Amino acid sequence: MTIVDAHGLVKRYRTGGETLYALAGVDFTLEAGEFVSIMGPSGSGKTTLLNVIGLLDTPTEGTLLLEGRDVTHIDDRTRTILRKRTIGFVFQQFYLLPTLTAVENVEVPGLLDGDPDLNRRARDLLTRLGLGDRLDHRPDQLSGGQKQRVAIARALINEPAIVLADEPTGNLDSRTGRQILEEFERIADDEDVAIVAVTHDDLVNEYVDRTVHLVDGTIGQERLDA
Ligand SMILES: Nc1ncnc2c1ncn2[C@@H]1O[C@H](COP(=O)(O)OP(=O)(O)OP(=O)(O)O)[C@@H](O)[C@H]1O
Ligand SMILES: [Mg+2]
């Protein structure tokens, strides 16, 4: 199943008489369970593309279909609901709430839904991610890799079709980075979640199904891995 079908995405900024193309006509598709990396130099539009796919930003031109639905021109409220239901985010800086435990951090995106099973699901997710013995620890009691696994559990709590990760291994040493990438690989394979990871890290290419190269807001050569 095609989860993301983006066609001709343009993101244009006008600042002081200058026009800048953060995205200059990008086609991008993503299938369920695919693990794809986006690589490219600083300023090439990687975060912009992630934000457009993740409904955090709107394209100036082009169309975006999520799970077959045209979401290019939906209103803000629908956008927010759809984002919460469809997409999980993972960031380089983790963005955990410092006063909450691991379980409580994972519960946050599900709190308004009134699901009586939320706490059990949060515990299960953390346990699956190898943090069964860290459920009630606060972020300052966790290592970087453990914090990122809490962030991944939080991204998965609403059972998204897509996880979008911007430099998810950027703050981790290479061994811990590998553990996170193995986790993404497992989630994509076992749970059919599509994962897009923006990265500067060549390590990622050992784990992904495909790498998309962005240069100056356009897709360069795409390499298909075996
Ligand atoms: N709100 C904005 N207003 C003006 N220009 C912007 C805005 N957001 C991004 N840009 C520009 O768009 C281009 C792409 O930015 P983007 O953040 O997508 O790059 P990136 O590939 O993620 O870079 P990095 O690897 O440094 O994170 C850059 O030239 C950036 O300066
Ligand atoms: Mg970026």
Side-chain angles (χ1 to χ4, degrees):
M1 185 192 176
T2 303
I3 302 292
V4 177
D5 188 356
H7 186 70
L9 292 182
V10 170
K11 183 69 185 183
R12 194 166 47 225
Y13 292 109
R14 286 218 175 81
T15 39
E18 298 261 299
T19 302
L20 184 139
Y21 283 83
L23 298 175
V26 166
D27 297 336
F28 179 79
T29 58
L30 186 69
E31 302 295 320
E34 243 195 324
F35 182 12
V36 173
S37 63
I38 299 179
M39 301 193 85
S42 182
S44 58
K46 303 182 297 297
T47 296
T48 305
L49 178 58
L50 219 58
N51 288 347
V52 169
I53 294 169
L55 303 178
L56 290 170
D57 202 352
T58 52
T60 317
E61 289 172 33
T63 53
L64 175 66
L65 274 61
L66 289 186
E67 298 181 305
R69 173 179 180 181
D70 191 335
V71 297
T72 320
H73 300 294
I74 53 175
D75 60 57
D76 284 349
R77 189 169 162 273
T78 312
R79 178 175 293 279
T80 304
I81 293 167
L82 212 60
R83 183 196 307 131
K84 193 180 153 206
R85 206 186 304 155
T86 317
I87 298 154
F89 294 93
V90 174
F91 303 95
Q92 177 172 357
Q93 300 86 352
F94 320 129
Y95 293 130
L96 301 178
L97 295 169
T99 59
L100 301 187
T101 65
V103 171
E104 289 166 346
N105 266 286
V106 174
E107 287 177 333
V108 166
L111 282 178
L112 293 176
D113 296 341
D115 173 8
D117 224 19
L118 181 65
N119 183 261
R120 186 196 56 77
R121 290 197 295 113
R123 287 171 182 273
D124 282 357
L125 268 172
L126 285 167
T127 304
R128 279 200 332 256
L129 284 155
L131 293 175
D133 57 350
R134 293 288 185 281
L135 298 175
D136 298 314
H137 285 54
R138 285 191 319 270
D140 64 358
Q141 300 168 317
L142 298 170
S143 70
Q146 290 169 340
K147 279 187 250 199
Q148 195 59 301
R149 279 184 275 161
V150 174
I152 293 170
R154 180 183 56 189
L156 293 171
I157 192 73
N158 288 329
E159 300 179 341
I162 316 166
V163 168
L164 301 176
D166 204 343
E167 295 282 354
T169 62
N171 275 338
L172 306 175
D173 63 70
S174 64
R175 186 165 151 269
T176 312
R178 278 186 186 278
Q179 288 168 358
I180 294 301
L181 294 168
E182 278 162 18
E183 212 59 73
F184 279 142
E185 196 177 33
R186 184 190 66 73
I187 292 161
D189 286 348
D190 295 357
E191 313 193 14
D192 223 24
V193 175
I195 299 177
V196 183
V198 164
T199 183
H200 289 103
D201 188 351
D202 282 325
L203 207 68
V204 171
N205 295 325
E206 293 176 34
Y207 298 87
V208 295
D209 301 310
R210 180 160 62 94
T211 299
V212 170
H213 294 275
L214 266 183
V215 181
D216 292 338
T218 53
I219 303 253
Q221 194 191 346
E222 255 196 56
R223 200 185 74 225
L224 282 164
D225 288 342

